[in-house]
């Protein structure tokens, strides 16, 4: 049996504004702006006053699954512009001891002796991202 349409909706928080332009969603909030494109999916995105409706007409199994995935992406965008995210990374090793240096006001990370290599790997952090050593 085929579905005629599948759909879901996401509530828009009070302190966020949303724009939809040809399946590109832009979310503005207190911590900044996020933009995500859903052009690779055949879906219909409708902006209401307090919600976003996602609809797919005559979907197959994958398209039905994508409806819920789009809802989750949009909710994560709301979380990102309201509260932000904090990531923690641990460096562990099995045979070769890894050394990590954080330099230039916590914006550059150097990884030494990765897998026993002699070269130094350098990672420039994006603007607004800082790194703090613990332990």
């Amino acid at each position: 049996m085929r579905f005629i349409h599948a759909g879901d909706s996401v509530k828009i928080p009070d302190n966020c504004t949303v724009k939809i332009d040809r399946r590109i969603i832009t979310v503005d909030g207190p911590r900044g702006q996020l933009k995500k494109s859903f052009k690779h999916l055949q879906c219909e995105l409708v902006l209401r006053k307090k919600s976003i409706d996602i609809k797919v007409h005559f979907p197959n199994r994958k398209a039905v699954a994508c409806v819920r995935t789009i809802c989750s992406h949009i909710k994560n965008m709301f979380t990102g512009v309201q509260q932000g995210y904090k990531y923690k990374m641990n460096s562990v090793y099995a045979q070769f001891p890894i050394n990590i240096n954080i330099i230039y006001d916590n914006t550059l990370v150097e990884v030494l002796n990765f897998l026993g290599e002699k070269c130094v790997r350098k990672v420039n952090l994006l603007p607004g991202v800082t790194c703090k050593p613990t332990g």
Side-chain angles (χ1 to χ4, degrees), residues 8 10 25 36 38 40-41 43 45 54 61-77:
D8 204 352
V10 178
I25 296 180
K36 189 153 185 76
F38 295 105
H40 61 283
L41 300 171
C43 65
L45 299 171
I54 298 104
R61 243 177 104 177
K62 288 186 179 182
V64 172
C66 286
V67 170
R68 186 70 180 152
T69 303
I70 293 171
C71 292
S72 298
H73 281 303
I74 295 171
K75 287 179 185 176
N76 289 340
M77 289 171 72

Side-chain angles (χ1 to χ4, degrees), residues 19-25 36-41 43 45:
K19 293 179 222 165
I20 298 177
D21 183 33
R22 296 184 297 247
R23 289 184 291 196
I24 297 175
I25 296 180
K36 189 153 185 76
S37 173
F38 295 105
K39 287 187 175 250
H40 61 283
L41 300 171
C43 65
L45 299 171

Side-chain angles (χ1 to χ4, degrees), residues 84-100:
Y85 284 99
K86 180 179 180 179
Y87 295 100
K88 291 186 177 181
M89 182 178 75
N90 294 331
S91 63
V92 295
Y93 63 90
Q95 184 175 0
F96 303 106
I98 300 172
N99 294 326
I100 295 179

Side-chain angles (χ1 to χ4, degrees), residues 104 107-109 122-127:
Y104 297 131
T107 58
L108 179 74
V109 178
K122 295 181 182 181
V123 179
N124 290 317
L125 301 180
L126 295 173

